[in-house]
Structures are given as C-alpha cells and as structure tokens.
Amino acid sequence: MNASTSPNVAASATATFELDGRYSWTRLAVSVVLATVGSAGMWSVVLVMPAVEQEFAIARADAALPYTATMIGFALGNLLLGRVVDRFGITPCLILAAVMLGAGFAGAAMTHDIVAFSLLQGALIGIGTSASFGPLIADVSHWFRRRRGIAVAAAASGNYLAGAIWPMVLKDIVAEDGWRAAYFVVAATCIVVMIPLALMLRRRIPPDAETDPNTVGRDPRTAGSVSLSPRALQWLLAIAGIGCCVAMSMPQVHIVALCADLGYGVTAGAEMLSIMVAGGVVSRLASGFLADHIGGVRTLILGSILQMLALMLYLPFDGLTSLYVVSLVFGLSQGGIVPSYAIIVREYLPAREAGRRVGTVIMATVIGMALGGWLSGLIYDWTGSYQAAFINGIAFNALNIAVIALVLWRTKEAPPLGAA
C-alpha cells in the first residue's frame, strides 16, 4: 500500500509546488529581514573597534584582529553551513546561527582581553553571520525560476542593509552605555527575531522537484550549458571570486584611510563608504533584474568591467568632491558581482548541491576581500601611496574578467524557444 501510494504523494507534492508564486515572494521578504538582522556580526565589530582598542589598551593592529577573525569564520561558515542547508534545510541552519550569534555577542560582551574577544568573533559570530549570506541565498534560489536573479540579489542586499542600519542603531548605545551594552542588545535581537522568522521557512521543496526541469530548472530565456565539468567550473568561479574581491576590497577597506592621508578626515571617508554601500544595494537589485534577462555570466562580466573602470577613476582623481562621485560610481558598479556567482551556480550546477556550491564560491570571495585588504595595506607600506595598490586591484580585476570570459566562451547557447 505504501509502495503504491508514495509515487502519487510525491507527484502531488511536485504538482502543488509553485515557483515565483506568492509564497516565494513572502519567503523572500522574510529572508531579507533575516539577512539584515543576522549580518550584524560583520558591521558591529567595526563600530566598536575604537572602544575595544581603548578599553583593552592595545595597538591598532591588535584591535583589527577581531575583524580578521570574523571574516575567517564568515568564510568557513559559508562552506560548512552550505552543506547543512543541502541536507537539513535552511531553518535548522538559521536557528543554529541565531544561537551562535546570541552566545557569541553575549560572551564577547563579557570578555576582558583581545584574544578571547577575537576567538568569539571568529568561532561564533563569524560563522553565525555566514548563515545570513551564502546559505540563505542558496535557499532563496530554489523558490524562483523566472525571477531568480532579482530574488538572489534582494536576499544578498540584506548584508548591505545591515551595514546601513546596524551602525545607526548601535552608535548611540555605544556612546551612552558602552560597547558591551550594544553587544548585549545585538545578542538579544538575534535570538528574539531570527528564531521565529526561521520557523516560518520550514517548508521545503519536494525532493523530486530538485531534479525536475519544469520546476527548479533554468529559465528558458537564459538557459544554456557550459562545456566544463562541475569541478572545473567550481574552481574557475572560485578563482574569479578571489580576483574580483581583491579588487573590490581596495576602496571598501581603505577609503577611510585614504581620506585621512589626503587631509579630508575620517568623517569624509566614512561618508564615502556609506555612499558605496548604498550604491551597492541599488547595483545588486539592478543586476538581479538584468540577470533574469541575460543570465548570470553576462551580468557578472558586465559588473566586473564596470568595477575595473571605476577603480581606474581613483588614479587621476583625488579631490574631495571627485572622490565622493567616484565612490558612488564604484558602489553602483560592484554591488551585483557577488550575487551573480550564486546565479551562475544555479544555472549550471545541480540544484541539490546549491548550498555547498554557493558556499564554496562565497568563501572564495571572502578570502579575496581579506587578501585584498591586507595586500593593499602592504603595498601602501612599501610605496607610501595607494596608487600602486589601486593598480594591483585593477590587475586582479582583469584576472576576474579573463576567467569569466573563458566561462562565457565555453557556454553553449540554448536553442530558441519552440525549436525542435
């Protein structure tokens, strides 16, 4: 009886499974809120760094260790939790992340040395934060087909929205009650908000739908195939991710220091960084719309070319007004690059491996950000100027374009709709 009825149950589940429907958009809205709350770990550590440095009486380099640890945890978490999503779904992953964030922020608020603070930032906060990026993006991608590009971009924008919202929420708490109080607020918020919202995402796509081309397959408007093995494509995307993010990190990590060196002050640099982040949100959404029509590979290579051109503008222009304008141009150019990798993974690689594959590529981009931030500082120390550091970023950007051009060259166009 069970053997005879189980195929009918599976068929019924697949039949009622609807992509791009009302539930998909509701799920996306919940995911954006989760991404905004869960990404607090990437921005709070930057905000409290001066207070931690002063209280612990440490050097600036030591005060930067918690951020480095957070990025390492974030990179590893995208890979590890991506596998959890593939096997158990996004809800257990997000609940685990909420607990890790709550424990991490509360524990960090009670530390009294930089080593313990850094360990908690990396092992709990960094890994916990990662659930709100790669794993959540991978989950969202399963619920859309025709609008997968904009859905992935919107989910990825939660990370940038967190950068706009959390510093504004926490700055007054830090000023009035100290950084420890701010961390306790974040800990409580992650637990109270993320767990109930995670439970709203318990529904999973039917197991057989992951291989059904009529449900989670590629959009016929942009579908094609690539004459590369999954492993080769994965490696190429990882190399491209490192290249683009070494370039991307140059302005994002060093714009404040650049402005200080030029005599414009830290405040001007912080404002330029905010402009970049705001431009990045617009760019991510616009790139999502574009990817729905021309595919992830073309969207990525277009974004990479625009990012390289924006980087080149930093070389001749160093006036205050021009730096504001160039920073906006840079933000509008680069925001859609990282989400495009997730779109490419979903276009060319098996749906059942989305969490692992997306997590691996996101980990590579984070490595690129970390490497680029450090390498740019090293080049500055060698040369006494950021000019060579910008040229280094442009060179890595060219590597990214070359790799993605290779993927595009090995892509076979889909036959026109209705063709035999």
Side-chain angles (χ1 to χ4, degrees), residues 318-394:
D318 60 2
L320 181 60
T321 301
S322 61
L323 283 175
Y324 275 107
V325 174
V326 173
S327 295
L328 175 60
V329 172
F330 182 81
L332 292 172
S333 302
Q334 58 81 29
I337 292 176
V338 173
S340 293
Y341 289 107
I343 297 170
I344 295 170
V345 168
R346 292 294 285 110
E347 285 178 340
Y348 294 133
L349 297 174
R352 64 181 180 276
E353 300 174 0
R356 173 167 64 91
R357 299 289 190 180
V358 171
T360 300
V361 177
I362 297 300
M363 181 179 70
T365 65
V366 176
I367 291 172
M369 291 293 293
L371 174 62
W374 171 79
L375 192 57
S376 296
L378 182 64
I379 293 172
Y380 176 85
D381 290 337
W382 285 345
T383 64
S385 168
Y386 277 119
Q387 288 287 308
F390 276 114
I391 294 173
N392 175 72
I394 292 168

Side-chain angles (χ1 to χ4, degrees), residues 223-301:
S225 61
V226 63
S227 57
L228 293 166
S229 69
R231 176 175 294 182
L233 179 60
Q234 182 82 79
W235 275 105
L236 286 173
L237 292 178
I239 293 170
I242 292 173
C244 75
C245 288
V246 167
M248 191 183 299
S249 67
M250 175 56 236
Q252 288 188 355
V253 176
H254 291 275
I255 189 65
V256 177
L258 174 63
C259 287
D261 288 348
L262 293 173
Y264 301 135
V266 171
T267 299
E271 290 173 350
M272 291 178 198
L273 183 58
S274 296
I275 288 173
M276 280 186 204
V277 172
V281 173
V282 175
S283 176
R284 284 192 171 175
L285 295 176
S287 295
F289 278 111
L290 187 63
D292 285 331
H293 292 86
I294 66 173
V297 176
R298 289 182 176 84
T299 301
L300 176 55
I301 200 168

Side-chain angles (χ1 to χ4, degrees), residues 52-241:
V52 170
E53 177 184 346
Q54 182 178 5
E55 182 177 327
F56 291 168
I58 55 178
R60 178 66 54 86
D62 293 333
L65 286 176
Y67 176 78
T68 301
T70 302
M71 295 305 290
I72 292 172
F74 184 77
L76 292 175
N78 271 283
L79 177 62
L80 298 175
L81 295 184
R83 295 176 180 270
V84 173
V85 170
D86 287 338
R87 184 168 183 180
F88 301 106
I90 192 64
T91 294
C93 179
L94 289 170
I95 291 176
L96 173 62
V99 173
M100 294 178 72
L101 288 169
F105 277 108
M110 295 185 284
T111 59
H112 295 281
D113 65 82
I114 194 63
V115 175
F117 185 78
S118 299
L119 288 174
L120 286 168
Q121 280 287 158
L124 293 181
I125 296 175
I127 294 177
T129 298
S130 69
S132 302
F133 199 66
L136 195 61
I137 289 173
D139 175 78
V140 165
S141 73
H142 287 299
W143 297 90
F144 292 86
R145 190 186 189 196
R146 295 182 64 83
R147 295 290 179 263
R148 183 176 291 153
I150 185 59
V152 166
S157 295
N159 180 268
Y160 276 175
L161 290 173
I165 294 173
W166 276 110
M168 297 300 295
V169 171
L170 297 179
K171 65 182 179 64
D172 291 334
I173 301 175
V174 173
E176 295 179 9
D177 302 309
W179 70 270
R180 297 180 187 275
Y183 262 44
F184 278 122
V185 169
V186 180
T189 303
C190 289
I191 294 292
V192 171
V193 175
M194 291 183 68
I195 292 179
L197 290 180
L199 292 173
M200 295 176 63
L201 305 183
R202 287 176 295 176
R203 180 178 171 185
R204 300 184 65 180
I205 62 173
D208 57 329
E210 292 186 343
T211 57
D212 184 353
N214 293 318
T215 56
V216 297
R218 283 164 278 171
D219 187 338
R221 296 172 301 168
T222 60
S225 61
V226 63
S227 57
L228 293 166
S229 69
R231 176 175 294 182
L233 179 60
Q234 182 82 79
W235 275 105
L236 286 173
L237 292 178
I239 293 170

